[in-house]
Amino acid sequence: MANLVAIVGRPNVGKSTLFNRLTQSRKAIVSETAGTTRDRQYGKCQWNGREFSVVDTGGWVVNSDDIFEDAIRRQVTVATEEADLVLFLVDVGTGVTDLDEDVATILRRTKLPVILVANKVDNSADYYEAADFYKLGLGDPQCISAQSGSGTGDLLDLLLERLPKQVEEVQVEDIPRFAVVGRPNAGKSSLINAFIGEERNIVTDIAGTTRDSIYTRYDKFGFDFYLVDTAGIRKKNKVSEDLEFYSVMRSIRSIENSDVCILMIDATRGIESQDMNIFQLIQRNNKSLVVVVNKWDLVEDKSQVAVKTFEAAIRNRMAPFTDFPIVFASALTKQRIFKVLETAKEVYLNRKQRIGTSKLNEIMLPIIEAFPPPSVKGKYIKIKYAAQIPDTQIPSFVFYANLPQYVKDPYKRFLENKIREHWTLTGCPINVFIRQK
């Protein structure tokens, strides 16, 4: 179960630079999809054989010109509630500011491990300046330069020492794990309460530490599944819920520990940037997806045309991944909530699907012959054989070609679309690899 590290500090101390430095071993996680301005704020870092998630709180302060001190304080509070360790970044060039002292006051009250990081230490004179930060009462400042990378190795060694030992994930049986995610007030709690209701039959609660996801097993109405609930969903938060950062921090663990994510969208508000942030998290973690348009009982126009228009708007925003089910429901009136469970279960089974090699080649090779990859520099690319890779987290297919390096993403998308046309993989991400034959 991955640990979560939050980088906090006032604007312009170098949080994003440090974030990029830590996550660069896995650049693929930092998506460059257009229209997702906040992509950079969540990634994974690997060091000495351990992997942990990193969240950069910097991108969530609106208008950093007039430092929104209140927003920063709230973010620090959220970070201390959700993360396993906090990196508190300060700037040697400016020394201790009032806002640094405010943040330090919040961090001294927390039981979490906090590492004080003095950034922009570029020469030996700066090391002496860093001694000024002892007055924050958070122990030795770790001197680094996020820009050049000096000192970051020592910082990572210390970070791994201080991180709580990873709880070995309890091997839950081969039963779907559903996470209900969405921004605040989209109706997550109502849906969970509607699922568990009064007739609930909880078989087990498997928990790691309080911050880990809790798997609650439900076995009713013919459905047997684990609901992945971070400690957060039931915990009344002390932080005002309007903060975009809050909903993303809340969702990270639920998403990382689930098979299928049920993304709640508020029908009265449509799809917003916050929904897109959470959708990005689901995609980057390769999780299956069911979109639930909640509060459908409050919408006046329920005609087929309205439904089609709403569906089209959602798929447009989430393109290029559009092959996922959308359920219109109301957690309050319990309208179609079992349809949500049915759909989530179908999507889970799609994820487990295995396609025979002979069948795959029989259908895909004629399509490839009719529409081969475009030639590059006068060289013709031939794909001779395809197979599904066994025992992968999501359906993964490998196509063997004479010149795999020349097969570009648009053609991989074409292959993915053809696979989706012939087999039901709705709601699941797919991997397509091209290898040397």
Side-chain angles (χ1 to χ4, degrees):
M1 201 171 282
N3 289 121
L4 187 56
V5 172
I7 303 175
V8 304
R10 56 189 176 75
N12 304 326
V13 290
K15 293 190 295 298
S16 296
T17 314
L18 178 61
F19 174 84
N20 288 343
R21 171 78 49 195
L22 295 181
T23 54
Q24 70 186 3
S25 55
R26 294 272 303 268
K27 273 214 167 81
I29 299 290
V30 183
S31 162
E32 284 163 23
T33 318
T36 50
T37 50
R38 295 198 162 82
D39 261 0
R40 243 195 10 223
Q41 274 84 31
Y42 162 78
K44 287 191 163 56
C45 172
Q46 287 177 325
W47 185 254
N48 281 349
R50 270 181 81 177
E51 184 180 75
F52 53 90
S53 302
V54 187
V55 179
D56 162 22
T57 61
W60 277 276
V61 175
V62 218
N63 186 358
S64 58
D65 300 340
D66 58 335
I67 305 165
F68 270 4
E69 298 177 6
D70 203 37
I72 294 166
R73 287 189 199 100
R74 285 186 306 187
Q75 282 176 11
V76 172
T77 311
V78 175
T80 56
E81 289 191 358
E82 294 304 314
D84 295 305
L85 180 142
V86 174
L87 293 178
F88 173 27
L89 211 58
V90 289
D91 179 347
V92 165
T94 51
V96 178
T97 67
D98 292 352
L99 192 51
D100 289 334
E101 289 184 341
D102 286 356
V103 172
T105 307
I106 299 170
L107 294 177
R108 282 197 304 270
R109 289 193 199 117
T110 174
K111 294 184 176 67
L112 275 189
V114 175
I115 298 178
L116 176 62
V117 183
N119 190 23
K120 307 185 187 176
V121 176
D122 296 312
N123 55 49
S124 51
D126 293 337
Y127 273 94
Y128 295 113
E129 298 294 324
D132 197 24
F133 294 107
Y134 276 103
K135 67 168 77 156
L136 294 175
L138 289 167
D140 299 336
Q142 287 297 306
C143 296
I144 67 159
S145 166
Q147 189 73 51
S148 68
S150 81
T152 47
D154 293 341
L155 172 64
L156 280 165
D157 288 340
L158 179 67
L159 188 149
L160 290 191
E161 264 174 48
R162 298 264 186 97
L163 262 185
K165 282 283 170 277
Q166 281 167 296
V167 180
E168 273 312 303
E169 194 166 319
V170 185
Q171 276 308 308
V172 290
E173 295 162 60
D174 201 11
I175 295 171
R177 296 186 290 188
F178 300 155
V180 180
V181 293
R183 54 181 177 66
N185 304 327
K188 299 187 293 294
S189 305
S190 314
L191 185 70
I192 288 167
N193 291 339
F195 282 164
I196 57 190
E198 289 319 304
E199 327 87 316
R200 74 169 179 262
N201 173 16
I202 299 182
V203 186
T204 45
D205 263 6
I206 302 173
T209 66
T210 48
R211 290 164 195 281
D212 286 328
S213 297
I214 294 171
Y215 301 113
T216 309
R217 184 169 172 181
Y218 297 98
D219 185 1
K220 66 177 205 177
F221 305 116
F223 293 105
D224 190 5
F225 64 96
Y226 283 104
L227 201 55
V228 180
D229 175 11
T230 51
I233 289 178
R234 301 203 185 104
K235 182 172 72 181
K236 270 280 166 274
N237 195 290
K238 303 172 205 62
V239 176
S240 59
E241 291 207 353
D242 57 354
L243 199 55
E244 196 155 332
F245 172 64
Y246 157 87
S247 59
V248 174
M249 284 289 280
R250 272 280 183 265
S251 309
I252 288 173
R253 277 177 210 277
S254 315
I255 291 169
E256 287 183 340
N257 295 312
S258 66
D259 295 310
V260 179
C261 294
I262 298 170
L263 174 59
M264 306 281 287
I265 289 175
D266 185 334
T268 60
R269 295 176 64 170
I271 186 161
E272 299 184 332
S273 67
Q274 223 161 331
D275 301 313
M276 288 305 296
N277 278 330
I278 294 172
F279 171 68
Q280 294 291 332
L281 284 177
I282 294 169
Q283 273 212 305
R284 268 178 258 159
N285 280 288
N286 279 332
K287 301 300 179 185
S288 302
L289 173 69
V290 175
V291 172
V292 176
V293 180
N294 189 29
K295 308 188 186 178
W296 194 239
D297 52 319
L298 303 179
V299 175
E300 284 171 22
D301 180 8
K302 295 188 178 69
S303 65
Q304 274 307 102
V305 177
V307 170
K308 289 271 178 283
T309 310
F310 209 121
E311 278 196 7
I314 292 173
R315 292 191 201 283
N316 273 342
R317 284 295 298 275
M318 295 185 176
F321 180 48
T322 55
D323 186 17
F324 53 82
I326 300 175
V327 181
F328 291 83
S330 164
L332 206 61
T333 64
K334 293 193 165 58
Q335 174 191 10
R336 293 199 199 90
I337 65 161
F338 295 115
K339 177 77 178 150
V340 172
L341 283 180
E342 263 169 25
T343 310
K345 193 172 179 185
E346 279 165 21
V347 165
Y348 173 75
L349 294 173
N350 291 346
R351 189 186 175 91
K352 296 273 178 204
Q353 201 177 155
R354 292 285 166 261
I355 297 166
T357 306
S358 58
K359 191 77 188 152
L360 185 67
N361 284 284
E362 183 187 314
I363 287 174
M364 292 304 290
L365 291 184
I367 293 172
I368 292 167
E369 210 161 300
F371 303 97
S375 61
V376 178
K377 300 173 188 167
K379 293 187 168 74
Y380 290 98
I381 301 155
K382 294 186 180 65
I383 294 177
K384 291 287 185 199
Y385 177 72
Q388 183 175 1
I389 304 170
D391 306 323
T392 48
Q393 192 195 11
I394 59 171
S396 301
F397 301 89
V398 60
F399 290 83
Y400 292 95
N402 57 342
L403 299 163
Q405 67 275 28
Y406 292 142
V407 180
K408 299 289 180 269
D409 284 348
Y411 194 77
K412 288 184 191 172
R413 265 202 294 280
F414 164 78
L415 293 175
E416 178 182 327
N417 291 338
K418 290 299 171 194
I419 292 170
R420 288 185 187 280
E421 272 174 36
H422 289 89
W423 289 278
T424 312
L425 290 163
T426 307
C428 293
I430 292 179
N431 281 333
V432 171
F433 301 105
I434 313 288
R435 299 260 164 83
Q436 187 75 42
K437 70 171 188 219

